[in-house]
Amino acid sequence: MTDFGTGLLWILILASLGLSALAVFFSISRQRRNPAPAAAHTASEDVVSEAARKVLREFEKNGQSVDAALVSWSPDTLRKILAEDLPGAQVIVVSNREPYIHNVREDGVELLIPASGLVSALEPITRACTGTWIAYGGGTADHLVVDDEDRVQVPPGNPSYSLRRVWLTEEEYQGYYLGFANEGLWPLCHIAFTRPIFRASDWEAYEAVNRKFADTVVAEARNERPIVLVQDYHFALLPRMIRERLPEAIVITFWHIPWPNSEVYSICPWRERILDGLLGSSIIGFHTQFHANNFTESVDRFLESRIERADAAISYGGQTTLVHAYPISIEWPVELLAKLPDVEDCRARICDRFGLPADAKLCVGVERLDYTKGILDRFHALDELFTRHPEWVGKLVFLQIAAPSRGTLPAYRQLHDECHRFAEELNQRYGSEGYKPVVMVAEHHSQEQVYEIYRAADICMVTSLHDGMNLVAKEFVAARDDEQGVLLLSTFAGASRELLEALIVNPYDAAMMSETMVQALTMTPDEQRERMRRMRGIVRDNNVYRWAGSMLLDAARLRKRGDLDRVTGNGDRSTNIDNVVSMFERKLALPR
């Protein structure tokens, strides 16, 4: 082609592009002068509306409204919810563990307040609601202090609610608690590589004990419309049993441990029965959205049901159950802190009590002696630390408080022996006269003693292999009103989703944990203060009253709600799903 022809071709191309641009310009101008038809405009609004709903759902995955942070959550907030949204409602809490235990001692009856995350979370709620707490009475003097109806008024000295004790035979306790709950469901739900054990006799005991607790709930209910808060994996069958006898009750079940994926869950021989039992609940709560999703997938796989994913609800057997994430927390402010001395005095008392060198850095772990808590893994990390950084030998002490737990079960006896053996090996390898790098105390401690240990520590290690939340992390943060101390937190604990300023670790990686320990040991006071201040703000705002209040608000809306079309938009009433609450509407009922 000649140069003239090539030039002419380029002129034509450029002219064509120019005409196209002019056409687009005039089209846009015409649209601005002449708005789109109403139908097209409505379609556009629908797209925006749905996008807004999706954004709101992202904000509200944890059972909270986008406005929840504007509310100051306290006992008064809960009382206001009950008075205004649930007037006259009776609150009944059901758990295996009781908040107060009475034991026989040589000099009389001793009162024990267990250092339990579940108890520390629920006890202030029950006080605020003036409710009734139903629990297994396992103390050696529990039967001596109850009235004729097996009740005792608590807390001692300032009673605000009733503790109703349920008595179990040794056979029932062995089969229901030690057997099915803790040799079956506990390892099934935790990725800790301990094989679950399922026995038909344990299942029968589990079913019988759940029935016994259902009888007690019905006996304690003042009317047919109580709010029943069922706690944890000990009572998977209880919601359905309550629903059968109190169909107008609001049953809120909170599962405090992880829920496995559907493939792992399929191991359980009674998987359908457990899901059916739990779906007797009005609301099922988990610590994290991930565990709530796992539960929904299990239901979808094993039961004929309808999953309302947009509204986090499951329709099954003519009833719909909400499945939400409600991250549990602790009381704020912590009342017992007022009883404790300042941090320096706590440090001196702990060093004196356990024979620790006053000038050493103190790292602590506080939990039940359980194979899910990663105690052996932190010992491996300490070994790795001393190997890589021998300059810390003699300058660092690890204090492990490991309350005895389920000691009759083989897996727990084995763990007890392994932990003591490893601690002794570390002390022989790195210890010297007057210095033991590991002090392991396998004893129960009161909450006050535990908080004293938190206040004394330079580092707190929470290295769970798998955990729903782990309130030790939040308790440590709450204890440090001096805004010092460093939290090492497992990525496999639910608390790691909230406490982002902690040093997040993989407990299976001993080398990585050891280097993170060095980072904690050398962290400046200013950085500690900045991290702790942010974490304390999270625990303050997302306290236990917010956890309970979120569930009670959902319960209130379930009770008031009757218009199915506001949720599904299709008017389909083939199943009774009037109790679905759209997460898009949660912001409307927050207390002010």
Side-chain angles (χ1 to χ4, degrees):
M1 184 179 291
T2 65
D3 290 344
F4 174 78
T6 302
L8 181 61
L9 178 62
W10 276 109
I11 290 172
L12 291 172
I13 292 172
L14 291 173
S16 175
L17 289 173
L19 289 172
S20 298
L22 284 172
V24 171
F25 172 78
F26 284 121
S27 175
I28 293 173
S29 299
R30 191 162 51 249
Q31 287 178 10
R32 288 177 177 172
R33 290 193 300 269
N34 302 304
H41 187 63
T42 301
S44 176
E45 283 187 338
D46 287 344
V47 171
V48 174
S49 178
E50 180 57 30
R53 279 174 161 78
K54 288 181 179 178
V55 170
L56 280 171
R57 285 171 184 142
E58 286 300 313
F59 272 103
E60 296 171 345
K61 277 183 177 179
N62 286 332
Q64 308 295 336
S65 161
V66 291
D67 291 343
L70 304 178
V71 178
S72 177
W73 294 90
S74 67
D76 287 340
T77 313
L78 295 187
R79 295 186 190 102
K80 185 175 181 181
I81 291 171
L82 289 169
E84 297 182 0
D85 297 279
L86 291 164
Q90 176 191 13
V91 176
I92 301 175
V93 175
V94 184
S95 71
N96 176 75
R97 180 167 294 185
E98 55 184 340
Y100 297 93
I101 302 171
H102 292 88
N103 287 321
V104 174
R105 291 291 181 263
E106 292 182 0
D107 55 348
V109 174
E110 176 191 52
L111 175 67
L112 174 65
I113 303 174
S116 157
L118 182 146
V119 168
S120 63
L122 284 169
E123 211 274 336
I125 302 306
T126 318
R127 275 192 275 118
C129 297
T130 318
T132 299
W133 190 320
I134 299 172
Y136 161 58
T140 54
D142 277 355
H143 63 288
L144 300 177
V145 298
V146 296
D147 61 19
D148 292 340
E149 296 178 314
D150 296 326
R151 299 191 192 103
V152 59
Q153 300 303 307
V154 291
N158 185 27
S160 58
Y161 68 93
S162 297
L163 172 58
R164 168 68 188 274
R165 285 170 168 152
V166 177
W167 314 114
L168 302 180
T169 66
E170 182 62 25
E171 292 75 15
E172 287 175 326
Y173 182 79
Q174 289 287 336
Y176 136 81
Y177 178 76
L178 293 175
F180 191 77
N182 287 307
E183 284 191 294
L185 289 180
W186 179 266
L188 177 73
C189 291
H190 289 88
I191 303 173
F193 309 105
T194 297
R195 176 172 174 159
I197 299 172
F198 295 107
R199 308 179 188 90
S201 59
D202 291 343
W203 169 257
E204 292 169 2
Y206 185 84
E207 190 173 22
V209 170
N210 273 243
R211 184 72 64 189
K212 181 176 287 191
F213 272 83
D215 293 341
T216 307
V217 169
V218 173
E220 289 294 320
R222 293 194 293 265
N223 55 48
E224 295 182 351
R225 296 165 57 85
I227 307 294
V228 185
L229 305 178
V230 176
Q231 305 302 310
D232 225 355
Y233 62 104
H234 310 94
F235 299 113
L237 304 179
L238 183 58
R240 177 67 61 196
M241 294 174 176
I242 295 172
R243 174 74 53 215
E244 290 169 350
R245 299 173 64 182
L246 295 173
E248 294 185 43
I250 296 291
V251 181
I252 304 173
T253 300
F254 195 82
W255 195 266
H256 289 263
I257 64 176
W259 188 276
N261 64 51
S262 61
E263 186 70 19
V264 172
Y265 180 70
S266 68
I267 294 171
C268 181
W270 299 279
R271 59 198 184 197
E272 290 86 2
R273 290 284 307 282
I274 288 173
L275 294 174
D276 174 84
L278 288 169
L279 289 175
S281 309
S282 313
I283 301 170
I284 301 176
F286 296 89
H287 291 300
T288 69
Q289 189 62 43
F290 183 70
H291 296 147
N293 293 345
N294 279 350
F295 175 81
T296 300
E297 292 301 324
S298 297
V299 173
D300 198 22
R301 179 173 177 178
F302 297 113
L303 295 181
E304 287 291 331
S305 59
R306 187 169 77 190
I307 310 298
E308 308 284 345
R309 297 188 187 276
D311 295 304
I314 298 173
S315 299
Y316 170 75
Q319 179 202 345
T320 292
T321 301
L322 303 183
V323 182
H324 290 164
Y326 305 92
I328 199 171
S329 194
I330 61 172
E331 181 182 19
W332 187 282
V334 180
E335 289 186 1
L336 63 80
L337 283 182
K339 305 176 183 178
L340 295 176
D342 62 30
V343 168
E344 290 303 318
D345 286 343
C346 286
R347 171 68 175 238
R349 290 165 64 166
I350 293 302
C351 289
D352 181 64
R353 184 183 307 161
F354 297 106
L356 310 178
D359 57 345
K361 291 282 189 178
L362 177 58
C363 183
V364 303
V366 180
E367 51 261 304
R368 291 184 304 103
L369 189 59
D370 193 285
Y371 52 76
T372 66
K373 302 302 181 183
I375 298 173
L376 283 171
D377 299 271
R378 69 186 65 148
F379 286 174
H380 282 291
L382 185 63
D383 189 12
E384 191 80 17
L385 170 65
F386 287 149
T387 301
R388 291 167 171 254
H389 302 277
E391 67 273 15
W392 283 103
V393 176
K395 299 179 182 178
L396 172 64
V397 175
F398 190 93
L399 173 61
Q400 177 63 59
I401 305 298
S405 176
R406 307 165 190 165
T408 60
L409 299 181
Y412 289 82
R413 290 199 303 269
Q414 179 181 345
L415 176 67
H416 176 276
D417 295 341
E418 288 180 356
C419 285
H420 279 277
R421 184 167 58 249
F422 201 167
E424 188 58 33
E425 288 176 6
L426 292 174
N427 287 334
Q428 291 178 359
R429 194 178 311 155
Y430 302 108
S432 59
E433 186 176 352
Y435 170 68
K436 291 169 59 176
V438 179
V439 177
M440 183 165 174
V441 184
E443 298 174 0
H444 291 283
H445 286 70
S446 69
Q447 279 293 91
E448 187 171 334
Q449 292 171 322
V450 166
Y451 270 82
E452 193 174 63
I453 292 168
Y454 292 148
R455 290 170 67 78
D458 296 293
I459 302 171
C460 180
M461 292 189 73
V462 178
T463 57
S464 308
L465 303 180
H466 200 195
D467 228 326
M469 177 56 67
N470 197 304
L471 292 179
V472 168
K474 295 186 176 184
E475 289 175 350
F476 174 69
V477 169
R480 299 314 297 257
D481 52 7
D482 64 332
E483 298 181 340
Q484 292 295 290
V486 183
L487 174 64
L488 264 69
L489 179 58
S490 168
T491 188
F492 304 116
S496 67
R497 307 296 189 272
E498 296 180 82
L499 303 179
L500 303 181
E501 285 72 32
L503 299 184
I504 307 299
V505 297
N506 177 357
Y508 292 94
D509 188 344
M512 178 263 203
M513 272 212 294
S514 71
E515 292 304 317
T516 308
M517 290 175 72
V518 173
Q519 180 185 351
L521 290 165
T522 57
M523 187 180 293
T524 66
D526 286 345
E527 183 178 352
Q528 291 182 43
R529 184 173 298 106
E530 185 65 24
R531 288 174 179 269
M532 188 60 71
R533 185 172 294 166
R534 293 180 183 178
M535 290 190 290
R536 285 175 62 80
I538 291 293
V539 177
R540 178 196 63 226
D541 295 340
N542 298 342
N543 59 35
V544 73
Y545 304 110
R546 178 174 179 172
W547 171 74
S550 300
M551 291 187 288
L552 290 175
L553 280 172
D554 279 347
R557 286 189 285 275
L558 290 186
R559 183 147 282 178
K560 296 174 182 177
R561 184 71 187 246
D563 187 359
L564 173 64
D565 292 342
R566 290 174 62 189
V567 177
T568 64
N570 59 18
D572 177 11
R573 293 182 177 271
S574 59
T575 58
N576 177 19
I577 58 174
D578 286 353
N579 63 339
V580 178
V581 177
S582 174
M583 288 189 285
F584 182 69
E585 298 169 352
R586 289 167 178 263
K587 63 188 179 71
L588 300 178
L590 279 170
R592 299 293 181 185

